[in-house]
Amino acid sequence: MKQTLHNSAASSALPPLRRQRDYRLLWTSRTISITGSEVSKLAIPLTAVTLLSVSPSQMGVLTAAAFLPSLLFGLQAGAIADRLTRRRPLMIACELAACVAAATVPLAWLLGLLTLPWLVAVALAVGTSAVLFKSANFSYLAATVPPAQRVEAMAGLQACHSLASVGGPSLAGLLVQFLTAPLAVLAEAASFLASALLLRSIRAEERNEPASSRGMWRDVVEGLRVALTNPALRALLGAGVTINFFAMAYTAVYMLYMVNSLGVPKGLIGVLTALSGAGGLLGAWLTTRLTKRYGENRVLLVTVLFFPAEILTVGLLTGPLWWKLAALAAVGLMTGGVVVAFATCLGAITLRETPPELRGRVNATMTFAIQGVLALGGLAGGIAADHIGLRPVILLCAAGIALATFWIWASPLHRPGPPRPHRPTAPPSQLHPLTHLTHAKRHLWP
């Protein structure tokens, strides 16, 4: 309670984040970049289907290419980020590299050179840039936001994903309709370029103390050791892997079940997705206020209880179409808020528990495990549905995702953290590396 009151008092003495220029630039940069990525999620698969006539297995390869960089380079990216004195140049370079890669899609199409291997190479290049960007971004926020406002800042960045999930698909549909799918990918390239320019305009001075390196392998192992031996970080890692595995297994059969079993019109599925994004915006607004009053630990403990609700509702839902839509809209709105609240608190606690010199590596370990399990979950869900049916898989996913509750409630996170000593708060431009930050990933971590 003392900790919460201290944080609230410190935060009230600072200007709101919306009035802090550097944070506005960072937030706008992420919103534009993520919206562009949402456009490409529709435009690139449509390019492959309509222009290249790919088979289902080839589409699977293209989809897997987006996750592969996390598995190949995720751990090393964290070690690289921890060695840097200034992380913003790396972030800008990643956005520019992704911009060039995305821009080659319409160019290759206009020249008659576009092939599936080309699209796979673009997916790998953009994915690798994203992995490196995230490893640096996790720690970079410390240079732009005062410590007392870190949870609010993280909630704002989580809201970027919710905002993009609301507007991105609609924008993608319009661009594909009027420009064709390959040219719509230009929107992604333009978003990366705009993000790089906004990041370049940030004035906050970075004062990072680079971690001493004993070699890439030893650096990676050190990050793994901290993530697995710290009880709080281990619980967050276990919960994240559990949630994402069963969530992706559910995602693999969701569309088939909604259309074939529940009879939901295809056009309304996009509306339901947008409602989930709207719930995320509401969740970001509430999380800032709830954490000030109750602390990150307590909000995390409560939100994890609600993760099975949407999947269980979908698995048990029967009745007329209007009732199905009403129920799906309600649980989708709630789940969007729950995911953002959980992810915000997860990031703030991860930063709190991680030594400053290990932030990049610990964040990379979390991303490696939580992102990497997505492919396994999707594969498991599809195979299981072939053998036992769609509804049983959905109910199993609801039961499986509930296991995340035990990771959180059996850990030290069920107790309030110790009060922190009072430290004077410096302006954002004068901050040394903080001891807290959050992690932005979209799926369950946005």
Side-chain angles (χ1 to χ4, degrees), residues 34-393:
I34 295 166
T35 301
S37 297
E38 287 292 325
V39 171
S40 73
K41 286 180 182 178
L42 177 65
I44 288 182
L46 279 178
T47 299
V49 170
T50 58
L51 298 180
L52 304 179
S53 301
V54 297
S55 66
S57 61
Q58 290 174 322
M59 183 61 76
V61 171
L62 180 59
T63 302
F67 296 107
L68 193 57
S70 293
L71 296 174
L72 294 179
F73 313 117
L75 295 176
Q76 297 93 321
I80 292 171
D82 282 340
R83 296 176 182 179
L84 299 176
T85 302
R86 298 175 63 234
R87 298 185 175 96
R88 186 163 60 109
L90 174 62
M91 296 163 63
I92 294 172
C94 287
E95 294 290 68
L96 292 176
C99 170
V100 172
T104 65
V105 173
L107 179 62
W109 173 64
L110 292 172
L111 295 176
L113 302 175
L114 189 62
T115 61
L116 178 65
W118 193 299
L119 289 180
V120 170
V122 169
L124 289 171
V126 173
T128 301
S129 298
V131 169
L132 287 168
F133 184 96
K134 290 176 182 178
S135 67
N137 182 61
F138 183 77
S139 299
Y140 178 68
L141 192 68
T144 59
V145 176
Q149 293 178 314
R150 60 180 175 272
V151 175
E152 182 181 357
M154 290 306 104
L157 291 182
Q158 290 291 338
C160 294
H161 298 274
S162 298
L163 192 62
S165 69
V166 173
S170 300
L171 177 60
L174 290 174
L175 291 174
V176 169
Q177 181 70 28
F178 291 104
L179 298 179
T180 72
L183 290 179
V185 182
L186 276 176
E188 181 182 29
S191 71
F192 289 137
L193 178 59
S195 174
L197 293 175
L198 288 168
L199 289 172
R200 189 176 182 277
S201 300
I202 295 177
R203 299 170 182 168
E205 180 182 353
E206 290 187 81
R207 296 183 180 180
N208 303 315
E209 188 67 34
S212 58
S213 174
R214 296 181 297 171
M216 180 62 72
W217 175 245
R218 289 187 177 182
D219 289 349
V220 167
V221 169
E222 181 69 8
L224 285 167
R225 183 189 65 78
V226 173
L228 294 175
T229 57
N230 181 294
L233 294 178
R234 184 171 61 242
L236 295 176
L237 182 61
V241 168
T242 301
I243 290 170
N244 265 15
F245 178 85
F246 288 103
M248 197 60 182
Y250 165 70
T251 301
V253 301
Y254 169 81
M255 194 69 69
L256 287 171
Y257 187 79
M258 293 283 281
V259 174
N260 297 335
S261 299
L262 295 184
V264 176
K266 296 178 183 178
L268 292 179
I269 293 177
V271 176
L272 293 173
T273 302
L275 281 174
S276 178
L281 294 174
L282 178 62
W285 180 78
L286 285 173
T287 301
T288 301
R289 287 148 182 81
L290 292 174
T291 53
K292 286 180 180 179
R293 182 168 183 177
Y294 301 108
E296 298 97 325
N297 286 20
R298 291 178 180 174
V299 174
L300 189 83
L301 289 168
V302 173
T303 53
V304 73
L305 298 173
F306 289 90
F307 268 104
E310 181 180 7
I311 302 177
L312 188 62
T313 299
V314 171
L316 298 178
L317 198 56
T318 58
L321 180 60
W322 69 266
W323 165 247
K324 294 176 184 177
L325 292 175
L328 291 171
V331 296
L333 193 68
M334 180 201 72
T335 301
V338 165
V339 168
V340 167
F342 184 89
T344 299
C345 294
L346 179 146
I349 295 170
T350 299
L351 184 60
R352 185 182 73 205
E353 298 291 332
T354 305
E357 68 277 8
L358 289 167
R359 286 184 193 138
R361 280 168 282 178
V362 169
N363 176 59
T365 299
M366 305 282 278
T367 302
F368 172 81
I370 294 171
Q371 288 272 26
V373 79
L374 292 173
L376 298 177
L379 183 62
I383 294 174
D386 284 338
H387 290 84
I388 64 176
L390 296 174
R391 186 187 293 266
V393 168

